[in-house]
Amino acid sequence: MSASSHAESGPYKLSDKRPGPVVSILSQGLQPTGILVRLTPKRHRCSHAFLQTQGSSMKVSHLAFAAVSAVACCGGLLAFQQRGDFGFGNDDSPTNVKAEFYWSRLAYTSSMQNFGGFGRRGWFNSWSRDYPKADRQFLIAMHRLTRIDGRPTEQVVTLDSDEIFNYPWIYAVQVQNWSFTDAEAKRLREYLMKGGFLMVDDFHGTEDWENFMNGMRQALPNRPIENLQSGDEIFHTLYDIDDKMQIPGEQYVWTGRTYEKDGYQPKWRAIRDDKGHIIVAICHNMHLGDAWEWADDPNYPEPFASMAFRVGLDYIIYGMTH
């Protein structure tokens, strides 16, 4: 796919920003190309559709987030891992930076039924697993490997206000534990049907799947779930990912096991809108967040981390251009 096919004409200006230092995090010498489109100065947040809610207008600007230009690869992730400091922990990074992309993580309340609590709801830390290190590691890789103008720190979003409509791409983990009120489920449904994109990760096996689906059916009761194929566009937006593997959590380092619970096979799945666009990307029986978090650990295998970064970047580009 030509990266230039993602660009649109209109009130946007191509960036003349040049890539930073050449740092390789992906093996095999992949060198995708593309362009970066800047939003109009009035918008502080990157987005790809005008999301309208009843009675109010919440802009997440027009589909103008084009494909990005990655820095040429010059070595494997292993060499990068052995350097040790991946850059995580820079608490001086500003959080009020105007940017074209905001990495957003969904914070949710959890059903205590999943913790033996007889169906009550509470605020647990399931949503924040690997947070914020995984988020920061991914953002550092994104900045070094692409020309996406993203804020260097993550944004936590919730479903208890319309503020979520300002962040059109969100990431959620441990989703077997999520629980929604009717109002939260309605807001998530509106968010997704008006152009938002959700990536879910780090849940494993049969029971986790059923618990995840309990929440998903609240938000999207009539939407089918499909298995993604290697030829699906989402795997070919920035990198061509034809051969995928199960991406394990850190437990692989000491167990040699790629699966958790009874999640023996990776499940790359999705939910689409009426136009056929993916609105929920589902990484079941995998833990991409751990791969990002431990990418700086020489004991965590480079092929897993490399694949996790490729998938994450493809999902971002797809979500922001469809």
Side-chain angles (χ1 to χ4, degrees):
M1 177 182 300
S2 171
S4 62
S5 65
H6 296 305
E8 287 192 357
S9 60
Y12 304 100
K13 183 174 70 174
L14 295 181
S15 171
D16 58 1
K17 189 172 88 174
R18 295 293 181 264
V22 176
V23 178
S24 172
I25 203 165
L26 304 177
S27 59
Q28 310 304 322
L30 295 181
Q31 300 182 37
T33 58
I35 56 176
L36 176 67
V37 172
R38 291 199 176 279
L39 300 179
T40 56
K42 294 183 179 180
R43 293 306 301 155
H44 295 178
R45 299 182 176 93
C46 164
S47 55
H48 73 297
F50 285 99
L51 305 187
Q52 301 289 334
T53 60
Q54 281 189 333
S56 64
S57 173
M58 271 155 285
K59 294 183 180 178
V60 182
S61 50
H62 191 275
L63 174 60
F65 192 90
V68 295
S69 179
V71 177
C73 296
C74 62
L77 175 61
L78 182 59
F80 188 53
Q81 290 173 313
Q82 291 173 334
R83 301 229 296 259
D85 182 9
F86 200 77
F88 167 72
N90 181 10
D91 292 331
D92 295 328
S93 297
T95 59
N96 60 345
V97 174
K98 297 178 182 179
E100 294 173 325
F101 176 76
Y102 286 67
W103 173 275
S104 307
R105 178 182 283 251
L106 180 65
Y108 55 82
T109 52
S110 300
S111 171
M112 294 179 66
Q113 187 173 15
N114 297 332
F115 298 88
F118 304 102
R120 291 176 295 162
R121 281 164 47 89
W123 193 266
F124 295 96
N125 290 329
S126 292
W127 68 266
S128 62
R129 185 168 184 183
D130 309 320
Y131 169 86
K133 185 180 178 184
D135 309 59
R136 302 277 178 93
Q137 303 265 75
F138 186 87
L139 284 168
I140 290 169
M142 184 187 77
H143 287 139
R144 290 178 176 177
L145 297 175
T146 77
R147 298 173 69 183
I148 296 176
D149 182 14
R151 195 178 74 180
T153 53
E154 66 289 334
Q155 177 71 36
V156 176
V157 298
T158 68
L159 290 167
D160 59 4
S161 79
D162 287 337
E163 181 69 12
I164 194 171
F165 287 95
N166 289 317
Y167 301 94
W169 196 99
I170 54 178
Y171 173 68
V173 300
Q174 294 273 287
V175 288
Q176 77 275 12
N177 295 322
W178 66 7
S179 175
F180 305 131
T181 64
D182 290 343
E184 289 170 341
K186 180 176 181 290
R187 185 171 282 111
L188 179 58
R189 179 167 57 253
E190 291 178 347
Y191 171 86
L192 294 171
M193 299 312 295
K194 293 175 185 294
F197 185 92
L198 169 66
M199 174 183 176
V200 297
D201 177 35
D202 186 19
F203 64 118
H204 311 267
T206 306
E207 184 176 1
D208 281 8
W209 177 261
E210 289 303 317
N211 290 330
F212 158 70
M213 285 302 299
N214 288 337
M216 205 73 259
R217 290 188 190 105
Q218 280 185 270
L220 299 173
N222 301 316
R223 292 282 160 181
I225 292 179
E226 66 178 70
N227 291 315
L228 290 171
Q229 305 302 316
S230 291
D232 277 303
E233 186 181 358
I234 196 169
F235 296 123
H236 301 276
T237 55
L238 184 63
Y239 296 104
D240 290 317
I241 306 176
D242 293 310
D243 299 319
K244 295 176 290 298
M245 65 186 76
Q246 186 171 36
I247 301 173
E250 189 199 9
Q251 88 281 345
Y252 180 86
V253 172
W254 60 81
T255 67
R257 205 168 17 86
T258 60
Y259 65 89
E260 299 180 39
K261 303 177 183 177
D262 63 339
Y264 305 116
Q265 297 297 323
K267 303 294 184 182
W268 305 87
R269 292 171 168 166
I271 300 175
R272 298 180 186 268
D273 63 14
D274 292 335
K275 296 181 179 179
H277 299 150
I278 294 172
I279 53 177
V280 182
I282 304 167
C283 300
H284 182 220
N285 297 336
M286 288 173 278
H287 196 168
L288 279 71
D290 245 11
W292 302 331
E293 181 181 14
W294 298 104
D296 58 346
D297 185 340
N299 296 310
Y300 187 83
E302 176 272 330
F304 296 141
S306 179
M307 176 67 70
F309 282 115
R310 286 189 178 102
V311 170
L313 289 170
D314 267 1
Y315 282 13
I316 286 175
I317 302 303
Y318 180 94
M320 302 308 296
T321 56
H322 289 76

